[in-house]
Amino acid sequence: MPLSDLDSRAARGEDKVSTVKLHAVQYVIALIVLILMTGLWRLQVLGASNYRVLAEANRVRKVPILAPRGKIFDREGRLLVDNYSSVAAYLLREQMQNPETDLPMISVGLNIPIEQLQYTLRKYKLAPKYQPIPLKQDITPDEQAFIEAHRNELPELETIEEQRRLYPRDGFASHLIGYVGEVSEQMLNQERYALYSPGDVVGKSGVEQSYDALLRGVDGSRDVIVNSHGRELGRLGEELAKPGQDIRLTIDLDLQMAAEKALEGKNGAIVAMDPHTGEILAMVSRPNFDPNQFAVRLTRNYWNQLLTDPEHPLLNKAIQAQLAPGSTFKIIMSVAGLEEGTAQDLKVNCTGGADFYGHFFKCDARHGGVNIYNAIPLSCDIFYYTLAQKLGIDTIAKYATELGLSQRTGIDLPEEASGTMPSTKWKMKNFHDKWYAGETISVGIGQGAVAATPIQMARALSGVASGGALVRPHVLSMDQIPESMRQAYVEAFPGSGEKKVSMRAENWQIISDAMAETMNTGTASLAHLDGVDFAGKTGTAQVMSHDALARSGGGKKTQPNAWFVGMVPRRNPDIVVAALIENGEWGKYSAKLAAQVITAFIDKQRKKDNNLRVAEVKPKPTEETPAKPEQKPEQAPSAAVPEKPRSISGAGN
């Protein structure tokens, strides 16, 4: 084509197509640049704070600082429960890259079955991923060394220092103190544990459970700088943990030791209480368990051993054993008979047994003439069979209920049992049947459907001996609970609490005098204490009928339960003790156990009296050594001068 033709076509604008393409490319490039700039702006400006947090997370790790639980002391400030330093292994899921490869190595290094590791991961599946998962408490130095040596391969493993519970040895006061453990899934569903997280350690029984909110404390945390392998490079700061509150119990260590020793080798319970205040001075249940086994990681074997033990070592028999109280119930029968005006003139001739409603009921001996004044020391069944027949079941139930049976006492320990007091209404409600008069006879001696706990019987006795004043038992000194929380704790442990039962003075004095005679010439004379105004009542409660006993062929488990409730002094007592030996045969044996606790109490009171006398002696000035006004005579330090105790009638010095 001639050159002139090309020039002419260019002149006509035929190259405009190329210009449009050029402009289009320019617009596309501009759009791409705009998109990139917009994205960059979003990253640099709008998302700056978010990515800054993510970046910090890659190099800063928040390590929890676990708060130590408060220590537990006895009433005189002697340590019962302490803590010890420990190291635990935790798993940081954010750092775990390959679970299939890492878990077998962790299993070998920490001596944890791989099935257990897999279960733990499933258990915490729904928990926030940043939350450390506890793998093993109280790890050994070898296991710590394993974690340190494998920081590069296993950056998800972390060690955390914490305080673990240290309980007394040999299960001392185990039911009273309780134990701690990891919060369960069932507990997390309860409103009380709404603020807890999986892996938290909580009280699971006894004082540990009742006062967990005081003992627990508040966890802190520490921010540490780590590299890509999780190795700590430095620290940015920390929020210190707030330790839990130390608490002081009403328990007297000396009396607790005496009660523990008395019940050693037996199954049952002993509880000692101050009837003026409701303070529990000692509480023992046998068989017991070792709470230290729960403080780290409970083994399946030990747990199965506790669950399958026929003697129920996890049961606090002082507040949960619901058993027929036997002849200790005759105290309540005496109250009912005297208050109703029936027992004052009642006289029976005990020949070893009698017929009631066509059935023959035995007595343990031939007592001859019996009245209200010697019925308690002799523990004559015939007298109380007759009294029960005259009173009727509903009158008996009325007084028993007023004195706290068939209802919780309100003691500040978990899962207190309420017991049973039968009546016509009770039987119709539970068995849809009427009450037969013949059933009342056995109730008169604390058998039949009657069931009570040792703490109920101790409280009922103290109420009778104090003229009808019943108190709420408690194991924590009330000044340890913040004022704002006291009402909540009272409501958390429902029961009959403090109350006043109407009782004529001459009636409860007759009963307390008769109980004092029980310790001199009656059924508990083996537990008599010279010079001590000791009053009490034995109880021998059958665990099966005479016919069933004859068919059983005998054996330890067929022996009656042995009960005793006693007090010092006989009126307005300073201490009341209830003792139960399961299958202990006779109540006089339980009386001897209670006497050991009473002896420890008396010895301690006498020692305090002697110390007070020494502290109060002031040397008189003489002419040779005149006293200087500015100087004081020597005396014991104020901390060593105990508060003057209440008098103990007849206790001597």
Side-chain angles (χ1 to χ4, degrees), residues 198-257:
D200 285 348
V201 172
V202 299
K204 289 204 167 184
S205 74
V207 170
E208 291 278 26
Q209 179 178 339
S210 296
Y211 295 101
D212 183 72
L214 298 180
L215 292 165
R216 186 165 183 258
V218 180
D219 293 342
S221 62
R222 179 172 60 248
D223 293 330
V224 299
I225 303 173
V226 296
N227 60 17
S228 59
H229 297 291
R231 189 178 298 277
E232 183 176 329
L233 301 178
R235 298 185 180 183
L236 294 179
E238 65 180 16
E239 181 181 352
L240 297 178
K242 297 179 181 178
Q245 175 183 323
D246 294 343
I247 61 174
R248 188 177 69 256
L249 304 183
T250 61
I251 297 301
D252 186 311
L253 182 57
D254 299 311
L255 269 63
Q256 182 71 25
M257 292 172 66

Side-chain angles (χ1 to χ4, degrees), residues 275-293:
H276 300 283
T277 64
E279 295 178 347
I280 299 299
L281 304 176
M283 180 179 286
V284 181
S285 178
R286 285 288 191 276
N288 58 5
F289 60 91
D290 183 6
N292 288 299
Q293 295 279 353

Side-chain angles (χ1 to χ4, degrees), residues 518-580:
T518 299
M519 310 306 300
N520 296 325
T521 61
T523 56
S525 58
L526 285 177
H528 172 78
L529 299 176
D530 291 335
V532 178
D533 188 17
F534 189 12
K537 182 70 190 80
T538 57
T540 303
Q542 291 178 317
V543 296
M544 59 178 64
S545 68
H546 291 292
D547 292 339
L549 180 61
R551 291 193 302 268
S552 69
K556 177 66 176 177
K557 285 298 180 181
T558 67
Q559 296 295 330
N561 293 325
W563 283 83
F564 177 80
V565 286
M567 57 198 178
V568 171
R570 75 181 73 181
R571 292 202 246 284
N572 294 316
D574 293 322
I575 183 173
V576 59
V577 180
L580 164 68

Side-chain angles (χ1 to χ4, degrees), residues 178-204:
Y179 61 88
V180 295
E182 186 177 331
V183 63
S184 65
E185 294 181 17
Q186 292 82 358
M187 296 170 70
L188 291 172
N189 293 327
Q190 301 175 23
E191 182 179 354
R192 176 180 177 181
Y193 300 98
L195 299 179
Y196 290 69
S197 301
D200 285 348
V201 172
V202 299
K204 289 204 167 184

Side-chain angles (χ1 to χ4, degrees), residues 350-373:
C350 175
T351 60
D355 285 307
F356 295 92
Y357 303 107
H359 293 277
F360 184 77
F361 291 83
K362 293 179 62 177
C363 188
D364 290 329
R366 296 173 178 265
H367 296 117
V370 181
N371 57 26
I372 187 61
Y373 298 98

Side-chain angles (χ1 to χ4, degrees), residues 122-384:
R122 289 195 302 269
K123 180 180 177 181
Y124 288 89
K125 185 177 181 180
L126 299 179
K129 201 164 185 180
Y130 60 81
Q131 178 182 327
I133 297 177
L135 290 183
K136 189 174 185 179
Q137 288 80 36
D138 215 15
I139 62 176
T140 65
D142 288 343
E143 291 165 345
Q144 293 182 50
F146 167 79
I147 294 175
E148 290 299 325
H150 294 80
R151 285 290 185 187
N152 292 338
E153 302 96 322
L154 301 172
E156 64 267 30
L157 288 184
E158 181 62 84
T159 56
I160 297 177
E161 294 183 3
E162 54 188 10
Q163 297 287 309
R164 310 301 301 182
R165 258 332 197 201
L166 182 61
Y167 295 104
R169 291 179 298 175
D170 303 322
F172 183 89
S174 56
H175 294 89
L176 171 72
I177 295 171
Y179 61 88
V180 295
E182 186 177 331
V183 63
S184 65
E185 294 181 17
Q186 292 82 358
M187 296 170 70
L188 291 172
N189 293 327
Q190 301 175 23
E191 182 179 354
R192 176 180 177 181
Y193 300 98
L195 299 179
Y196 290 69
S197 301
D200 285 348
V201 172
V202 299
K204 289 204 167 184
S205 74
V207 170
E208 291 278 26
Q209 179 178 339
S210 296
Y211 295 101
D212 183 72
L214 298 180
L215 292 165
R216 186 165 183 258
V218 180
D219 293 342
S221 62
R222 179 172 60 248
D223 293 330
V224 299
I225 303 173
V226 296
N227 60 17
S228 59
H229 297 291
R231 189 178 298 277
E232 183 176 329
L233 301 178
R235 298 185 180 183
L236 294 179
E238 65 180 16
E239 181 181 352
L240 297 178
K242 297 179 181 178
Q245 175 183 323
D246 294 343
I247 61 174
R248 188 177 69 256
L249 304 183
T250 61
I251 297 301
D252 186 311
L253 182 57
D254 299 311
L255 269 63
Q256 182 71 25
M257 292 172 66
E260 297 268 356
K261 183 178 180 180
L263 202 58
E264 186 175 355
K266 304 174 181 65
N267 293 337
I270 294 177
V271 57
M273 183 178 75
D274 182 337
H276 300 283
T277 64
E279 295 178 347
I280 299 299
L281 304 176
M283 180 179 286
V284 181
S285 178
R286 285 288 191 276
N288 58 5
F289 60 91
D290 183 6
N292 288 299
Q293 295 279 353
F294 294 81
V296 182
R297 182 174 293 279
L298 182 65
T299 64
R300 186 179 298 275
N301 287 340
Y302 188 68
W303 180 243
N304 289 336
Q305 177 185 332
L306 295 177
L307 291 181
T308 57
D309 191 325
E311 302 297 343
H312 307 293
L314 292 175
L315 189 74
N316 184 353
K317 295 176 181 177
I319 66 171
Q320 294 176 313
Q322 303 176 88
L323 301 170
S327 293
T328 59
F329 188 75
K330 292 173 182 177
I331 299 169
I332 295 173
M333 287 293 299
S334 299
V335 172
L338 289 169
E339 288 296 312
E340 291 293 313
T342 303
Q344 286 85 341
D345 300 321
L346 179 62
K347 295 181 177 63
V348 302
N349 181 33
C350 175
T351 60
D355 285 307
F356 295 92
Y357 303 107
H359 293 277
F360 184 77
F361 291 83
K362 293 179 62 177
C363 188
D364 290 329
R366 296 173 178 265
H367 296 117
V370 181
N371 57 26
I372 187 61
Y373 298 98
N374 63 358
I376 288 178
L378 295 175
S379 196
C380 179
D381 289 346
I382 302 303
F383 180 89
Y384 287 99

Side-chain angles (χ1 to χ4, degrees), residues 29 56 70 95 144 183 193 236 246 392 396 412 455 486 490 492 503 511 547 593:
I29 293 173
E56 285 292 317
Q95 299 288 336
Q144 293 182 50
V183 63
Y193 300 98
L236 294 179
D246 294 343
I396 298 172
D412 51 343
I455 187 66
R486 290 185 184 178
V490 170
M503 195 179 302
I511 295 171
D547 292 339
L593 304 190

